[in-house]
Amino acid sequence: AQTVTQSQPEMSVQEAETVTLSCTYDTSESNYYLFWYKQPPSRQMILVIRQEAYKQQNATENRFSVNFQKAAKSFSLKISDSQLGDTAMYFCAFIRTGNQFYFGTGTSLTVIP
Amino acid sequence: EPEVTQTPSHQVTQMGQEVILRCVPISNHLYFYWYRQILGQKVEFLVSFYNNEISEKSEIFDDQFSVERPDGSNFTLKIRSTKLEDSAMYFCASSEWQGSQPQHFGDGTRLSIL
C-alpha cells in the first residue's frame, strides 16, 4: 500500500523568511511522481510543484523548491521569501502508474506579517 | 487559465436521499476524478473515469456511488441513499493524461447529510 505522511499539522513563518514542510511516503514502486498542492482558504487546490522519481535533480518553481531524497522516501517543500499569499493548506501527493493520487493529511501554513 | 468548476458549493441533504454533485472539467482534458475529504482527514481517491468508463476505483466507491458523463461537458457523482458518514468535501479533478500529469482540482462541494 502507498502511504503519504505529513508530520507537521500546522506551521507558521514570518513574512520574507524561509520555511520547509516535510513529507515522507512509503512505496515499493521504483517509478512514481510526487506533487505538492496548495489549498488557500475556501479555494481550490493548486499545483505548486512536481517531481519525477527517476530524476535526481530537485525540482524548483520560482520561490518553491523540493528536497527529494529517494532512498529516504522524503519529499520536503521549501518556500523562500514567504509571502502573505502563501498562507494555505499544503498537501503532499504521490502517484505511481494509473490514476490514483495518495494524499497526506496536509500542513496548514500561516505567514505572519 | 481554464478551471475545473463544481456545483453546488454546498449541498445539504436528508439521510437516505439521493444527491448528484456536478463538475465541469477542463475542456481538453481526458481523465476525470472524484476525491473526498472528511473533515479533519486526508483527501481520499474515489474514482477515475476515461473514455466514458471507470478506469480505477477505490474500496470507498461501492454500489452506493456512480459516475456519469451525461454530455460533452459535465461529469457527475451520484450518491444513492446517503448516509451520515457521506458528509465530506467532494473534489472533482481532471487531467490531460494519466499518471505523471498533474490533476487540476475544482473548489469542491461540501456535502452535509442530516
Side-chain angles (χ1 to χ4, degrees):
Chain A
Q2 275 64 227
T3 59
V4 180
T5 302
Q6 293 178 250
S7 58
Q8 305 150 313
E10 294 181 357
M11 294 191 72
S12 61
V13 62
Q14 289 290 136
E15 193 174 6
E17 297 292 307
T18 295
V19 64
T20 299
L21 310 183
S22 65
C23 173
T24 58
Y25 58 93
D26 186 25
T27 183
S28 58
E29 303 283 338
S30 59
N31 189 28
Y32 50 87
Y33 303 87
L34 296 159
F35 301 81
W36 278 98
Y37 278 87
K38 165 187 175 181
Q39 187 181 36
S42 303
R43 292 286 308 278
Q44 64 193 189
M45 280 199 283
I46 304 164
L47 177 68
V48 175
I49 202 165
R50 181 181 77 166
Q51 174 80 44
E52 293 92 340
Y54 63 85
K55 287 187 177 178
Q56 292 186 324
Q57 187 175 8
N58 289 324
T60 62
E61 196 70 45
N62 301 317
R63 297 183 295 107
F64 299 88
S65 61
V66 299
N67 183 4
F68 174 49
Q69 302 287 330
K70 190 171 184 178
K73 296 181 181 174
S74 169
F75 181 60
S76 60
L77 174 69
K78 185 171 83 170
I79 306 174
S80 304
D81 185 25
S82 297
Q83 300 175 0
L84 296 179
D86 295 333
T87 292
M89 183 72 87
Y90 287 81
F91 292 98
C92 178
F94 163 98
I95 191 168
R96 48 181 176 84
T97 56
N99 304 309
Q100 183 172 165
F101 265 28
Y102 296 89
F103 283 91
T105 49
T107 296
S108 178
L109 176 67
T110 302
V111 179
I112 302 166
Chain B
E1 187 174 324
E3 291 185 341
V4 176
T5 57
Q6 290 186 242
T7 55
S9 57
H10 190 191
Q11 175 80 45
V12 181
T13 302
Q14 290 286 333
M15 186 173 63
Q17 297 296 306
E18 175 183 285
V19 65
I20 297 176
L21 309 183
R22 302 181 192 282
C23 170
V24 179
I26 295 173
S27 61
N28 65 332
H29 285 186
L30 302 178
Y31 288 83
F32 315 118
Y33 314 85
W34 283 102
Y35 291 83
R36 80 171 185 193
Q37 185 180 28
I38 295 171
L39 187 65
Q41 299 185 24
K42 65 174 66 178
V43 177
E44 300 172 293
F45 171 81
L46 292 177
V47 66
S48 62
F49 191 86
Y50 170 71
N51 199 26
N52 282 319
E53 58 184 32
I54 291 172
S55 54
E56 194 169 343
K57 62 180 182 179
S58 72
E59 60 275 8
I60 302 169
F61 193 87
D62 59 21
D63 292 344
Q64 180 195 12
F65 295 91
S66 63
V67 289
E68 193 178 31
R69 189 157 162 81
D71 53 43
S73 59
N74 289 285
F75 177 52
T76 62
L77 173 69
K78 181 190 290 185
I79 310 175
R80 288 181 279 275
S81 188
T82 49
K83 299 176 272 198
L84 293 176
E85 53 266 37
D86 294 327
S87 294
M89 184 74 101
Y90 287 81
F91 293 102
C92 174
S94 69
S95 64
E96 288 186 71
W97 296 102
Q98 65 176 338
S100 65
Q101 292 298 306
Q103 296 178 13
H104 298 259
F105 287 81
D107 283 349
T109 294
R110 180 168 298 285
L111 177 63
S112 300
I113 306 299
L114 305 179

